[in-house]
């Protein structure tokens, strides 16, 4: 017998893996920015140049991470809505089957 529950679970796992991949990407981006900041602090350049480079890097990191967080939020919202619809449909189907089995 074909069970849609397995198919739904497989798609949910794929979506969760994709979201985990994005979270990893965000973490790598933040780690790279921190590493670059540390490298700049250790570099033999003037304090003014270092501060300017840090500000520039911080602005770029903020822009990139803001976009990544917005994308992650959209994906999470979309997944939550889809799962809620599936849960509602499944509960309606189960209630209908129960009524049919009881002859109501």
């Amino acid at each position: 017998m074909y069970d849609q529950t397995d198919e739904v679970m497989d798609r949910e796992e794929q979506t969760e893996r994709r979201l985990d991949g994005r979270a990893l990407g965000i973490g790598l981006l933040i780690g790279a920015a921190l590493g670059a900041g540390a490298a700049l602090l250790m570099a033999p350049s003037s304090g003014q140049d270092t501060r300017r480079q840090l500000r520039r890097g911080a602005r770029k990191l903020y822009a990139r991470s803001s976009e990544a967080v917005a994308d992650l939020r959209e994906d999470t919202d979309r997944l939550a809505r889809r799962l809620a619809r599936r849960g509602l449909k499944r509960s309606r189907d189960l209630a209908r089957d129960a009524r049919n089995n009881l002859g109501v």
Side-chain angles (χ1 to χ4, degrees):
M1 183 170 119
Y2 178 71
D3 187 9
Q4 289 181 338
T5 306
D6 291 337
E7 184 179 321
V8 170
M9 293 297 282
D10 289 341
R11 279 188 259 146
E12 289 172 9
E13 289 174 8
Q14 290 172 354
T15 303
E16 287 176 17
R17 274 191 238 125
R18 187 172 41 245
L19 292 176
D20 288 345
R22 287 197 177 179
L24 175 65
I26 291 170
L28 290 174
L29 181 67
I30 291 170
L34 291 174
L40 285 173
L41 291 174
M42 304 304 266
S45 61
S46 73
Q48 185 177 4
D49 290 341
T50 301
R51 286 189 297 276
R52 187 178 322 119
Q53 289 174 339
L54 284 172
R55 275 193 304 272
R56 216 176 282 149
R59 280 189 221 115
K60 287 180 183 179
L61 174 63
Y62 179 78
R64 289 180 190 158
S65 62
S66 294
E67 290 174 19
V69 167
D71 289 345
L72 186 60
R73 181 178 294 138
E74 288 174 17
D75 289 346
T76 303
D77 288 345
R78 195 175 309 120
L79 176 62
R81 284 191 300 273
R82 187 170 49 231
L83 292 175
R85 281 192 305 268
R86 286 181 186 161
L88 183 59
K89 182 183 182 310
R90 181 75 175 138
S91 65
R92 287 178 181 160
D93 292 345
L94 289 171
R96 184 189 65 238
D97 292 345
R99 282 192 303 272
N100 289 340
N101 289 337
L102 294 172
V104 176

